[in-house]
Amino acid sequence: MKKRYQKGFTLAELLIVVAIIAVLVSISIPIFTSQLEKSRRAVDLSNARNMKSILMNSYAGGTIQFPKKTENVVGAGTVSTYVAAIVRRDGTYYRASGSVLVDGGNWEADHGNGDYARVRKLFENTGFSATKVHAKSTKNEGWASYGVVLFSDGSCRIFSSESDIDLGDSSGGVFEKKLENILSTNQTGIEKAMGN
């Protein structure tokens, strides 16, 4: 009677296969993580473009009206007249300087409460709902917060910050000075990602 010989894997062969799989996994995890971050940033870029479009269309349609005499220098000097939407990790915030008419009303007429609410409503009426920052990493020109600002000359700029943009106290131009510091940068991370 012949003895049947069954060939199987040796322990050495199994260890080699396991080692190859481990190497492939260790290579693919950073690539996967990087691609995941790129997709998160792509969501932020899409939201920022959408926000810019809303502000530009509202300005062109007359829903946002700036006073006739304003002093405005984009990226330097003074940021005195603007409408802005800022996205942070904890949500979206809206701002406007007091003299800007938003949907027929201004900050002074609404005793300091209405203009930001009007800007929020302006976005909500277009179907834009409040969002948060999706990007997780500030490395490699990433961002922890971003925003869109519309100026009195009709120009609009998307910008970002490596830290949460501190909205702080709006009295005495504190927020405007912070915004001016951010805009003094030639290109912020989100602008570089957009290729601007």
Side-chain angles (χ1 to χ4, degrees), residues 8 19 28 74 96 125 128 153 170 172:
S28 64
V74 179
N125 287 343
F128 181 87
D153 62 359
S170 60

Side-chain angles (χ1 to χ4, degrees), residues 87-163:
V87 181
R88 295 169 22 126
R89 297 215 184 274
D90 58 350
T92 309
Y93 297 86
Y94 305 96
R95 294 265 181 173
S97 53
S99 52
V100 180
L101 298 177
V102 180
D103 200 20
N106 65 16
W107 191 82
E108 286 95 348
D110 292 322
H111 307 293
N113 299 313
D115 210 33
Y116 303 157
R118 286 177 191 272
V119 177
R120 178 179 42 76
K121 197 160 194 160
L122 181 88
F123 277 83
E124 289 173 351
N125 287 343
T126 62
F128 181 87
S129 56
T131 186
K132 296 179 181 178
V133 173
H134 289 83
K136 298 286 184 202
S137 173
T138 57
K139 293 178 184 174
N140 303 320
E141 297 172 342
W143 49 86
S145 53
Y146 64 90
V148 180
V149 62
L150 173 71
F151 296 102
S152 60
D153 62 359
S155 63
C156 199
R157 183 167 173 193
I158 296 170
F159 59 92
S160 66
S161 173
E162 290 179 6
S163 59

